[in-house]
Amino acid sequence: LEEAAEQLELAREIRREKHGERSAAFATASFNLATVTLRRADDSAACRTDEQRAALMKRASELSLEAVAIDLARRDNDAAATHLEATLDLMAQCADAEATAGPVKVLAARYLEVTGEEWVEAEDDEGSDHAVCTVRVSPTWAVSAARWQTEHCFHLDREQRR
């Protein structure tokens, strides 16, 4: 997952340079990096200490809030709400509830500001219509997807220069 995060960080920077810091492409890239960062924080092999986990949770929260700020600047409240809700749902699934408590509080407050509704953790029992659906992605697939995204950005950039 660390390699995937590095590739997504590179793709994010390419999108920032190509489309600008207030583009939907950059917001999406920030959100994508936030989700991989959350998965790294929840991975016991990647986080050996509470300090590492807390730092990754904080970084994921910052990236998500960055995406939300861009969405709101573009007057796309739906995208902002979607980014917040997805990040909060992922944080709720993390094994270390103590590490997520601070970021969840900040993101939930922002969700309330954006939607006018309080975020409620989705139930995952089989009878719930609002069950959180998670997809566990293998690190190999995540790295491949991140590389494709990076290469795709480079390809688009070269095509536009012609």
Side-chain angles (χ1 to χ4, degrees), residues 34 37-38 41 50-65 68 83-85 87-92 94 96-112 119:
T37 302
L38 279 173
D50 291 340
E51 292 80 22
Q52 288 174 324
R53 182 169 288 105
L56 287 173
M57 288 288 181
K58 181 180 178 193
R59 175 74 173 138
S61 178
E62 290 168 351
L63 288 163
S64 181
L65 289 171
V68 168
H83 285 149
L84 284 165
E85 187 172 25
T87 304
L88 284 161
D89 287 345
L90 282 172
M91 284 187 173
C94 289
D96 188 350
E98 188 175 318
T100 62
V104 165
K105 187 176 181 178
V106 170
L107 292 170
R110 192 69 172 133
Y111 184 82
L112 178 61
W119 174 77

Side-chain angles (χ1 to χ4, degrees), residues 8-156:
L8 286 171
E9 182 71 53
L10 179 59
R12 180 175 164 268
E13 286 307 308
I14 291 168
R15 287 185 174 179
R16 182 185 59 77
E17 291 172 9
K18 182 176 174 56
H19 301 287
E21 290 184 350
R22 295 292 176 205
S23 68
F26 185 64
T28 300
S30 293
F31 172 73
N32 289 341
L33 183 56
T35 60
V36 169
T37 302
L38 279 173
R39 295 211 187 277
R40 284 182 60 210
D42 199 34
D43 182 8
S44 59
C47 288
R48 301 196 189 284
T49 68
D50 291 340
E51 292 80 22
Q52 288 174 324
R53 182 169 288 105
L56 287 173
M57 288 288 181
K58 181 180 178 193
R59 175 74 173 138
S61 178
E62 290 168 351
L63 288 163
S64 181
L65 289 171
E66 177 180 75
V68 168
I70 295 165
D71 294 334
L72 293 174
R74 296 178 50 254
R75 301 190 192 292
D76 191 348
N77 286 23
D78 290 339
T82 299
H83 285 149
L84 284 165
E85 187 172 25
T87 304
L88 284 161
D89 287 345
L90 282 172
M91 284 187 173
Q93 296 168 26
C94 289
D96 188 350
E98 188 175 318
T100 62
V104 165
K105 187 176 181 178
V106 170
L107 292 170
R110 192 69 172 133
Y111 184 82
L112 178 61
E113 290 173 18
V114 170
T115 65
E117 300 174 2
E118 288 194 20
W119 174 77
V120 178
E121 184 177 342
E123 297 176 24
D124 62 359
D125 59 34
E126 291 182 29
S128 173
D129 290 337
H130 303 288
V132 175
C133 178
T134 61
V135 177
R136 292 291 176 185
V137 177
S138 74
T140 304
W141 183 88
V143 169
S144 297
R147 281 190 182 140
W148 178 87
Q149 187 177 22
T150 303
E151 290 168 5
H152 184 68
C153 288
F154 280 129
H155 175 72
L156 289 176

